[in-house]
Amino acid sequence: MTTADDHWPATLERVTGVLDFEATPVTGGKSEVRAKIRGDISQLPALVGLAAQAAVQLDKRVAAADTEAPVDRKAVLARKDLVRSIADGVSAMFVTGYAAAYRLELARILWAGIADAPRRRLEELARPRS
């Protein structure tokens, strides 16, 4: 039996695929890795754009090791591996692999957070936190 929301897990994997991760310098000589949306998503359906914004906000929660659901330790560790690979300047091939693994974790926890009511939950997750 299928439901109207069966497309979301695959859609969220595609949405997290438009994320790029870059190191930005912060005070103190350190750098911080942040997710950003690669390219122009303005022509995509509104809910897909909202999902991309939610993924960026969720990345901020994972970066802060937020213990509030849906963030879990597996996602935090995947992000730490990605950050470490970017900071250490390892081969681009490895960074690409770590980024792909982290994108899958983001898609997984994003789906876990919106599964019961995708539209409403996406709106909640996409809202910037202070």
Side-chain angles (χ1 to χ4, degrees), residues 12 25 60 74-75 91-92 98 109 116 124:
L12 293 175
K60 291 177 184 177
K74 190 174 176 185
S91 168
Y98 285 123
I109 62 175
D116 61 338
E124 291 170 3

Side-chain angles (χ1 to χ4, degrees), residues 54-75:
V56 169
Q57 293 302 319
L58 188 58
D59 173 66
K60 291 177 184 177
R61 291 175 59 188
V62 173
D66 188 348
T67 57
E68 186 179 323
V71 176
D72 60 13
R73 182 146 177 80
K74 190 174 176 185

Side-chain angles (χ1 to χ4, degrees), residues 14-79:
R14 290 184 184 122
V15 163
T16 58
V18 302
L19 295 181
D20 200 10
F21 303 97
E22 65 178 13
T24 57
V26 294
T27 57
K30 295 175 104 179
S31 62
E32 181 177 82
V33 174
R34 292 186 179 177
K36 68 174 189 159
I37 297 171
R38 180 179 47 210
D40 180 23
I41 62 168
S42 63
Q43 300 301 313
L44 296 175
L47 278 178
V48 173
L50 196 58
Q53 293 298 329
V56 169
Q57 293 302 319
L58 188 58
D59 173 66
K60 291 177 184 177
R61 291 175 59 188
V62 173
D66 188 348
T67 57
E68 186 179 323
V71 176
D72 60 13
R73 182 146 177 80
K74 190 174 176 185
V76 171
L77 292 175
R79 189 178 198 287

Side-chain angles (χ1 to χ4, degrees), residues 5-14 107 111:
D5 294 328
D6 281 350
H7 64 92
W8 277 107
T11 300
L12 293 175
E13 285 181 19
R14 290 184 184 122
W111 175 239

